[in-house]
Amino acid sequence: MTAVGDISGTTTDRRAVISLLRRLRSPEGQSNPQPVWDRLRALGDVVPAPWGGYLVTGYDACNQVLRGRNWLVPDFAWQERQPNPERWQAPAVEAMSRALFRLNAPTHTCQRRSLGNLFDRNTLDSLAPRIAEHARRIVDELAERIRDGGEADFVTVVGDQLPVLTVGEWLDIPAHHHAHILDFTHRQVHSQELLPTKSELAVSTQATVEMREFFTALIAERRAHPGDDVISDWIRYWDEQLPDDPAAADRTVYDLVMFITIASLETSATLMATAVWFLTRDEDQWQWLRRHPEHVDDAVEEALRYDPPVHINTRIAADDTVLAGTPVAKDQMVHVMYGAAAHDPRRNENPEHFDILRGGSHMTFGGGIHYCLGAALARLEGRTLLTELLNRFVTLRPVSAPVYAPRMVFRRVTSLKVTTDDDPAAPPAPRPVTEDAAGPPAGRCPVHRAQHP
Ligand code: HEM
């Protein structure tokens, strides 16, 4: 295999890490990454990565990197200082290197300030009724498809749809473009893998061309016909900031619209799919949550902790430093492993249990100055969708385990077949309300999960 992604190492430790990372990418590792996270964490809080730099596995060490002033994101200036800058010159990688999450101060500060608090209380309140309408319609469609075919794919009918309907409407992008946006987003994110293969990069490059064409035309159209919408506001803002350089204003608006769209879709879709999987693989959990809708937010939070949609994020050392006892030289890369951190038993007891009432710690939305700008929207979508599903289905069961794309950085569930035992002719049943003395049933551990479907 002539893969850029072939991992080779020299020391014993590195060989152990290589084999663990291969496992993480495999179908087995994708469906249950926890044993790999545990073994990596057992090697240390900071583990040498096979390609240089480090994997950061412990909660406190990850937190320190995300929030510390000593850490930056790997921007263009850093890429140019590397012995092999061509590694970052693929068009798909280059496009993402211009995006907000790969900018350091002062450019990051300027762009982030221009966005403000994207999803403040007023904005969320204005979006909520439409999100609820979309959720109701696609959940109805799910029920209809199950009625007609005995089962339906939650991901294609619901999980992928709610985020694109929400963000598409927020950005005023007509619905007939949504399928195209989803399609190039799924292909573009390969470029964000730690070591994408040549074929992955080729797929990603083609997606980047389509993405550029789409968003460039969208911004040109909005510039020609400005309105009372988010993108027109951003154009006005950047025209004021860069009065002598409209091309630079357009480029900045392009980078923002493109990245925010991409950042919002797969991540939120993965949250929907994993939350539904964790809650339906054990019928008792579903029934408990039906009786306790006041804990829907807690269920979303535990799904975010249990299986973060983004597994890994990268920072570089701004200076020579020491991280959890390991010296890290200036410019060296460290990869923050969100999932491994959230399953660190020193932070979350019995981390392998999916426990709705845990109130656990996670850093699924990152931390520090790059903290996710869409966290509140993603939580609102999760809450709205789960509420709708719990209202609609007395029973909702997976037909088989979810199928995952073989990725290490951006997680993606490609399919989750579900069914119901509800009477298709009966109207949605009201939820029973009881006073349970006990909390929700304990989630199944991975061993049990392998036996249930
Ligand atoms: C469950 C869904 C989501 C997850 C798990 C997620 C996760 C993340 C993570 C891990 C980061 C990087 C933070 C860091 O580097 O410390 C990030 C950044 C970002 N996210 Fe999200 N995200 C989600 C949904 C969204 C949505 C819905 C939007 C917008 C509509 C969005 C917009 C952004 C933006 C703009 C950034 C860059 C922030 C910066 O670098 O300053 N995300 N997200």
Side-chain angles (χ1 to χ4, degrees), residues 288-346:
W288 186 87
L289 199 55
R290 287 193 83 243
R291 290 195 300 277
H292 295 278
E294 72 278 13
H295 287 299
V296 163
D297 281 345
D298 298 322
V300 170
E301 222 46 42
E302 177 64 346
L304 284 163
R305 180 199 73 86
Y306 198 82
D307 194 348
V310 185
H311 266 185
I312 298 177
N313 204 347
T314 301
R315 296 284 198 266
I316 54 154
D319 282 305
D320 291 351
T321 187
V322 175
L323 179 64
T326 304
V328 181
K330 174 177 159 64
D331 269 356
Q332 248 182 336
M333 265 195 281
V334 298
H335 305 290
V336 172
M337 300 193 73
Y338 296 118
H343 285 255
D344 184 340
R346 292 167 295 185

Side-chain angles (χ1 to χ4, degrees), residues 238-310:
W238 284 101
D239 280 352
E240 271 175 31
Q241 298 297 310
L242 302 163
D244 303 325
D245 197 348
D250 272 354
R251 242 188 348 261
T252 308
V253 175
Y254 170 88
D255 289 337
L256 290 171
V257 177
M258 174 277 289
F259 177 66
I260 288 176
T261 310
I262 290 219
S264 63
L265 299 187
E266 279 206 355
T267 48
S268 309
T270 303
L271 167 64
M272 314 285 163
T274 52
V276 165
W277 163 240
F278 299 139
L279 291 167
T280 58
R281 69 187 183 192
D282 179 346
E283 202 197 327
D284 294 345
Q285 296 261 7
W286 187 256
Q287 295 309 334
W288 186 87
L289 199 55
R290 287 193 83 243
R291 290 195 300 277
H292 295 278
E294 72 278 13
H295 287 299
V296 163
D297 281 345
D298 298 322
V300 170
E301 222 46 42
E302 177 64 346
L304 284 163
R305 180 199 73 86
Y306 198 82
D307 194 348
V310 185

Side-chain angles (χ1 to χ4, degrees), residues 66 100-101 108 112 119 167 259-260 263-264 267-268 271 304 309-310 313 315 338 364-367 369-374 377-378 381:
L66 290 177
L100 193 61
F101 79 137
H108 177 264
R112 182 116 185 176
F119 300 106
V167 168
F259 177 66
I260 288 176
S264 63
T267 48
S268 309
L271 167 64
L304 284 163
V310 185
N313 204 347
R315 296 284 198 266
Y338 296 118
T364 296
F365 292 115
I369 60 166
H370 288 276
Y371 184 79
C372 174
L373 269 166
L377 181 64
E381 289 177 69

Side-chain angles (χ1 to χ4, degrees), residues 28 45 65 67 138 144 161 180 190 207 221 241 259 264 294 320 361 377 400 414 422 432 435 440:
E28 176 206 357
D45 282 327
V65 171
R67 290 172 201 280
I138 54 183
E144 215 167 286
Q161 299 307 321
H180 182 43
H190 289 303
E221 185 270 332
Q241 298 297 310
F259 177 66
S264 63
E294 72 278 13
D320 291 351
S361 312
L377 181 64
S400 49
T414 54
D422 297 357
E435 294 302 323

